[in-house]
Each structure stands twice: as structure tokens, then as C-alpha cells.
Amino acid sequence: SGKGLFLANVSERFPHHDFLGIEVSHKYARYAASRLAKKQLTNARVIDGDALRLFDELLPAASSWRT
């Protein structure tokens, strides 16, 4: 939905794991980040941008993140 509901729920359910949400809309990224902050969920982050571009440009091809 772009409003961070899934991210908030999964990060709340698995507090010992870290999560990253990538939202193309700056408005919805801020909304999702606000949702996380209100619930004091420190194991999740939200950034705005194009996920495909971020993966291609920021993560090395051999990175375990790419699997």
C-alpha cells in the first residue's frame, strides 16, 4: 500500500531482525517512517527511491543482499 503497514507489522513481530522499506513516493515514505516512530520500532527503516536503481547502484553484485 506504500503506507508502511506491512513493514510495521513484520518489524513488530520479529524485533530481533532488521528491515528496510523502500518507497518510491516521498510522501508515503514519510508516512511509513512516522508509523514506525509512533510504534517505537527501531528495527525498521524507510527510504524513498526507486528500489531497482538502489539495488543496482548501491549493492555490489556479489552481495548477499542480492540473493
Side-chain angles (χ1 to χ4, degrees), residues 22-41:
I22 304 172
E23 172 56 52
V24 70
S25 165
H26 180 74
K27 174 184 169 182
Y28 288 137
R30 287 181 53 109
Y31 186 92
S34 175
R35 182 184 297 241
L36 295 172
K38 286 178 186 174
K39 291 185 168 210
Q40 298 181 337
L41 297 169

Side-chain angles (χ1 to χ4, degrees), residues 35-51:
R35 182 184 297 241
L36 295 172
K38 286 178 186 174
K39 291 185 168 210
Q40 298 181 337
L41 297 169
T42 59
N43 63 327
R45 299 285 188 270
V46 180
I47 59 173
D48 64 344
D50 179 352

Side-chain angles (χ1 to χ4, degrees), residues 1-61:
S1 73
K3 295 182 181 175
L5 182 60
F6 174 80
L7 185 61
N9 287 338
V10 74
S11 62
E12 193 168 34
R13 185 170 177 197
F14 299 101
H16 298 294
H17 295 275
D18 294 324
F19 297 93
L20 174 64
I22 304 172
E23 172 56 52
V24 70
S25 165
H26 180 74
K27 174 184 169 182
Y28 288 137
R30 287 181 53 109
Y31 186 92
S34 175
R35 182 184 297 241
L36 295 172
K38 286 178 186 174
K39 291 185 168 210
Q40 298 181 337
L41 297 169
T42 59
N43 63 327
R45 299 285 188 270
V46 180
I47 59 173
D48 64 344
D50 179 352
L52 293 177
R53 182 174 171 219
L54 290 170
F55 279 102
D56 284 342
E57 293 180 9
L58 300 179
L59 297 177

